[in-house]
Amino acid sequence: HYGTHSQQLLSGSWDTTAKLWAIHSGSLHADAVVVYENGESEVNAVSLANDGASVQSPGGGSNVEALMAVGMADGRVVCVDQRSGRCVSQFRAHDEAVVNVILSAQGALLSADRGGHWRRQTVDGVVLSEGQCERELGSMLSDGNQLLLGRSDGIVELWDVLSGKRVLPLTGKHTGPCVCMDLAPGAAGGGEGALGGGARGATLLTGGVDGFVRTWRSKSG
């Protein structure tokens, strides 16, 4: 996960570590400034908190600036303080391996397992909403209100995050698993309402194992 404003890169590895890197402008060199190692489970997914914004800490205490979320192969999600690498909270989010995690601007965690089950939770694990996709997942994207899920059969589904209800599948599909997705640069800044037609002309890019990149443009807004 790359923080465009903070010039930081967060990576996760099967060696059970997550590393936060400082990117030097105009250079190919980067320094690992924070290392989190759980020593037990492989890291499958990582996310930065709103590019350096503050998120309310578990228990309602003082704000923890710039959290990072780490999704584990054993089903746990761990919230880590970017400044110190200290574990702030951890909880069992899924029975299966976590393959996607998003730490939203609103301070909620979205995570999904490979079987297609997604959950929206607080940073201390309280479930706020959840849903079950019809197929295994390859990718996930959210603006805090809407959720896009890229399925193993190439279909992209749109969900309402707050209610946990599926809105519709997008028209068209990849011929293989949809494995990555993102908003095109400048598409409402990726903020609230940027997905699902909330922003006029918002452009979604998806990539599949079929070798194609598809472009989806909102018709409403």
Side-chain angles (χ1 to χ4, degrees):
H1 185 165
Y2 177 62
T4 55
H5 300 300
S6 58
Q7 297 294 296
Q8 293 175 313
L9 175 69
L10 179 60
S11 63
S13 172
W14 289 353
D15 66 2
T16 75
T17 66
K19 294 184 179 182
L20 184 65
W21 304 81
I23 307 298
H24 303 290
S25 179
S27 171
L28 296 178
H29 178 69
D31 295 316
V33 293
V34 174
V35 177
Y36 168 76
E37 182 173 6
N38 72 91
E40 300 175 0
S41 181
E42 300 168 346
V43 174
N44 286 342
V46 292
S47 179
L48 293 172
N50 193 31
D51 231 3
S54 296
V55 177
Q56 189 70 26
S57 65
S62 59
N63 283 343
V64 176
E65 293 183 359
L67 285 179
M68 57 188 189
V70 182
M72 304 291 193
D74 63 5
R76 285 181 297 147
V77 170
V78 181
C79 293
V80 179
D81 188 334
Q82 287 185 29
R83 298 167 299 182
S84 64
R86 179 179 61 89
C87 173
V88 176
S89 68
Q90 61 176 313
F91 52 89
R92 182 77 59 179
H94 299 274
D95 294 330
E96 300 183 41
V98 176
V99 294
N100 296 98
V101 64
I102 298 173
L103 192 49
S104 74
Q106 296 83 3
L109 270 164
L110 277 165
S111 63
D113 63 28
R114 194 174 303 279
H117 180 218
W118 66 266
R119 277 180 170 163
R120 176 174 171 263
Q121 296 171 272
T122 65
V123 291
D124 50 0
V126 177
V127 177
L128 303 174
S129 59
E130 59 186 315
Q132 178 66 50
C133 187
E134 295 179 357
R135 297 288 190 276
E136 291 185 354
L137 289 186
S139 54
M140 181 173 76
L141 181 68
S142 178
D143 63 2
N145 292 328
Q146 291 89 29
L147 173 67
L148 286 170
L149 300 176
R151 298 182 354 185
S152 59
D153 59 0
I155 291 176
V156 178
E157 292 185 351
L158 175 66
W159 289 72
D160 181 90
V161 171
L162 301 183
S163 68
K165 295 181 179 179
R166 190 180 80 150
V167 179
L168 47 80
L170 302 189
T171 302
K173 58 175 287 188
H174 290 274
T175 58
C178 176
V179 294
C180 57
M181 59 176 64
D182 202 354
L183 288 177
E192 292 187 16
L195 304 179
R200 182 182 299 276
T203 300
L204 171 70
L205 302 174
T206 60
V209 298
D210 56 7
F212 286 92
V213 175
R214 284 185 171 269
T215 302
W216 315 75
R217 182 173 292 276
S218 168
K219 294 181 179 179
S220 62

